[in-house]
Amino acid sequence: MQAPPEVRVQCQKCQEKDALLGRYGPYGYYVKCQVCNANTSLKQGCPACEYHSVRLSKSGAVYSGHCPQCEHEFVIFRQPD
């Protein structure tokens, strides 16, 4: 079985891509930037069909999305070691 494609997340404030830490809060999954201390939601549309209500989940260090419309699965964020 092939691994799902990965979507690259960046900080919404400073566009940092490497110094992010995955978190969970009252509004769902997000990443916290270690450079500017801003929070960025991991909620996003499906990269295959652009459907907006993608279901997010976490398994170990991997945050992934599953689109109920087209059944596409993709990695949104991978927690750094």
Side-chain angles (χ1 to χ4, degrees):
M1 183 173 176
Q2 188 177 7
E6 190 160 343
V7 176
R8 190 78 171 160
V9 176
Q10 65 183 17
C11 174
Q12 66 182 357
K13 186 175 179 184
C14 71
Q15 285 69 50
E16 175 62 38
K17 293 180 182 175
D18 297 320
L20 303 174
L21 293 176
R23 297 283 185 252
Y24 183 78
Y27 301 107
Y29 293 109
Y30 66 96
V31 289
K32 182 158 195 83
C33 180
Q34 295 178 305
V35 174
C36 70
N37 215 30
N39 296 335
T40 301
S41 174
L42 290 178
K43 292 180 184 176
Q44 55 188 269
C46 175
C49 72
E50 299 180 8
Y51 185 69
H52 293 288
S53 296
V54 172
R55 181 172 171 87
L56 302 178
S57 63
K58 179 182 182 288
S59 179
V62 178
Y63 296 76
S64 58
H66 174 81
C67 179
Q69 182 168 303
C70 72
E71 299 297 320
H72 182 66
E73 292 187 15
F74 55 100
V75 174
I76 297 172
F77 177 71
R78 191 177 309 272
Q79 187 77 25
D81 295 332

